[in-house]
Amino acid sequence: MSWNEVLTFENSKDLLISIGIMLVFLLFRKLFAKYIFSLILKLGNKAKTAFFSNIFIAVEKPIQWLFIIIGTFIAMDYFPYLDRSNPLFKHLFRSSIIILVTWCLYNLTSSTSLVFSRINDRFNIRIDDILVPFFSKAIRLIIIAISISVIAQEFGYNVNGFVAGLGIGGLAFAFAAKEALANLFGGIVIITEKPFTLGDWILTPNVEGTVEDISFRSTKIRNFEDALVTVPNAMLSNSTITNWSKMGKRRVYFNLIVSHDTPKSNLDNSVRQIRYLLKNHQGIHPDTIIVSFDEYKENGLGLLFYFFTKTTVWVEHLEVKEDINFEIMDILENEQVTYAIPSNRVLFDVDE
């Protein structure tokens, strides 16, 4: 094809029309993003729930790309240097629409938690928070798998043969991905047995902190240094897990040593007053309260304190302990009971 044929008047006119169509659709895309979508989003924000707003946000980008795809498809009618009757253009157009639909559905899975919340409220069905991320990720994988299979069929590939081939190579795949499969089954064990859920404070042989996310492969735990630790599910499911968030009450245990020369009556009165204090304190759980003259020590008389606070929240627990400690100080001071100070006594044998 010579340059004279390329730059004919008809070709130039069709080329300009094609470019004009693209510019018009780009303008429509800009107007939609700036005005129409903003208006729709404001209307959605007036609803009682954020469900509709999440739907509008999920479809915003795909709809903007829809303008470009439709504009391109129409512009190809006038583009002089490509033949739109070629089946490849139809396959590409249909595949693009499938990808946009997949994109919308993929974005909508972020609203899964809201859907489950509404299910809980309406049908009184309790869905654990730990299951929501798994459901969301599983739905995304299904959406992507279906989209890939539909696109493959659009281009004439036999999906059934591909699936049959997976059965033949399944053993080799399982051997190559045995660690990934172990983590997957570990995640299933965590979901079914529910040793913890999102937001729980747990202790394992490797890490202690708050559970932030549970995925197919791993669990993310925020430790008390504010670092994010990723633990493979296979390792976590086979570990000893202490779930501190399941405490109904929180233990306080300590010893106090008073001086050897403390009179018996003063020590007995102190023990009785402290026991009475703990039994009548609003922050102390009444089930188990032990205050006892426990043992004789080298440097004094040992008192044992064993009780529980009603709250399990760390800061509130410390506040109750602090209040109890100050009260114990006042009781011992009033009874003239002094604390034992660690010391060594040296005896000299002086020959006369």
Side-chain angles (χ1 to χ4, degrees):
M1 181 181 293
S2 65
W3 281 105
N4 291 331
E5 294 176 345
V6 171
L7 297 177
T8 60
F9 175 76
E10 290 296 329
N11 286 351
S12 300
K13 182 181 70 173
D14 291 341
L15 179 62
L16 292 175
I17 293 174
S18 177
I19 294 173
I21 291 173
M22 283 299 302
L23 292 176
V24 168
F25 274 89
L26 288 174
L27 179 61
F28 286 162
R29 177 179 180 269
K30 188 69 174 179
L31 293 175
F32 171 81
K34 190 172 183 180
Y35 298 106
I36 300 176
F37 180 78
S38 299
L39 178 61
I40 295 175
L41 190 59
K42 288 179 181 179
L43 294 175
N45 290 332
K46 293 181 180 180
K48 294 182 179 179
T49 64
F51 182 72
F52 292 105
S53 297
N54 290 333
I55 292 178
F56 296 147
I57 294 173
V59 302
E60 177 190 8
K61 294 296 183 180
I63 289 179
Q64 290 183 17
W65 276 96
L66 181 62
F67 282 106
I68 296 177
I69 292 173
I70 294 176
T72 303
F73 186 76
I74 296 175
M76 288 299 103
D77 270 340
Y78 297 92
F79 196 73
Y81 307 118
L82 291 176
D83 182 12
R84 213 195 76 168
S85 61
N86 190 329
L88 179 62
F89 285 105
K90 294 182 179 179
H91 293 321
L92 290 174
F93 178 74
R94 292 171 183 169
S95 299
S96 301
I97 299 300
I98 294 170
I99 291 173
L100 292 183
V101 173
T102 304
W103 192 0
C104 291
L105 295 176
Y106 187 91
N107 291 341
L108 284 174
T109 56
S110 61
S111 303
T112 307
S113 58
L114 292 175
V115 174
F116 289 135
S117 177
R118 292 181 66 86
I119 292 175
N120 290 341
D121 296 338
R122 175 162 298 191
F123 300 104
N124 198 23
I125 301 174
R126 177 58 184 166
I127 300 176
D128 198 297
D129 292 339
I130 196 174
L131 297 176
V132 175
F134 272 90
F135 284 156
S136 178
K137 292 181 176 66
I139 292 172
R140 289 184 174 184
L141 287 176
I142 293 172
I143 290 172
I144 293 174
I146 293 175
S147 174
I148 292 174
S149 65
V150 173
I151 292 174
Q153 288 181 344
E154 176 65 31
F155 283 93
Y157 290 98
N158 187 359
V159 179
N160 294 329
F162 175 73
V163 173
L166 288 180
I168 298 174
L171 183 62
F173 174 79
F175 180 78
K178 60 180 181 179
E179 292 187 4
L181 291 175
N183 290 326
L184 175 61
F185 286 114
I188 294 174
V189 170
I190 291 173
I191 288 177
T192 54
E193 294 188 357
K194 297 182 182 178
F196 54 83
T197 187
L198 296 179
D200 280 359
W201 166 26
I202 65 172
L203 170 67
T204 73
N206 300 310
V207 64
E208 180 179 10
T210 304
V211 180
E212 287 200 352
D213 183 45
I214 303 171
S215 65
F216 289 109
R217 179 188 173 276
S218 62
T219 297
K220 294 181 179 179
I221 301 172
R222 180 79 61 180
N223 65 16
F224 296 127
E225 287 76 26
D226 202 34
L228 190 63
V229 182
T230 301
V231 184
N233 287 334
M235 179 186 298
L236 193 60
S237 62
N238 292 321
S239 301
T240 302
I241 301 173
T242 302
N243 192 334
W244 295 113
S245 296
K246 300 301 181 182
M247 293 184 296
K249 51 189 178 181
R250 193 157 189 164
R251 189 184 73 165
V252 178
Y253 171 74
F254 64 94
N255 295 96
L256 185 64
I257 302 176
V258 299
S259 176
H260 272 300
D261 56 4
T262 302
K264 175 186 174 183
S265 60
N266 294 29
L267 184 60
D268 185 49
N269 288 337
S270 299
V271 170
R272 292 178 184 275
Q273 291 182 48
I274 295 172
R275 192 178 294 134
Y276 178 83
L277 165 68
L278 294 177
K279 288 182 178 179
N280 292 275
H281 196 283
Q282 293 182 350
I284 302 302
H285 201 282
D287 284 354
T288 305
I289 296 176
I290 299 176
V291 181
S292 175
F293 171 29
D294 183 43
E295 60 181 331
Y296 293 95
K297 293 183 175 291
E298 293 182 359
N299 59 333
L301 308 175
L303 301 179
L304 170 68
F305 298 87
Y306 187 93
F307 54 93
F308 293 85
T309 62
K310 292 180 180 179
T311 180
T312 60
V313 180
W314 177 243
V315 176
E316 297 175 0
H317 171 78
L318 292 178
E319 291 175 352
V320 175
K321 281 183 63 178
E322 183 182 60
D323 184 53
I324 293 296
N325 288 337
F326 282 135
E327 294 285 350
I328 292 175
M329 288 181 63
D330 291 338
I331 292 173
L332 296 180
E333 184 178 350
N334 292 335
E335 291 296 328
Q336 297 181 348
V337 176
T338 58
Y339 305 106
I341 301 175
S343 60
N344 294 321
R345 180 177 294 180
V346 181
L347 299 178
F348 294 94
D349 186 9
V350 180
D351 295 332
E352 295 183 358

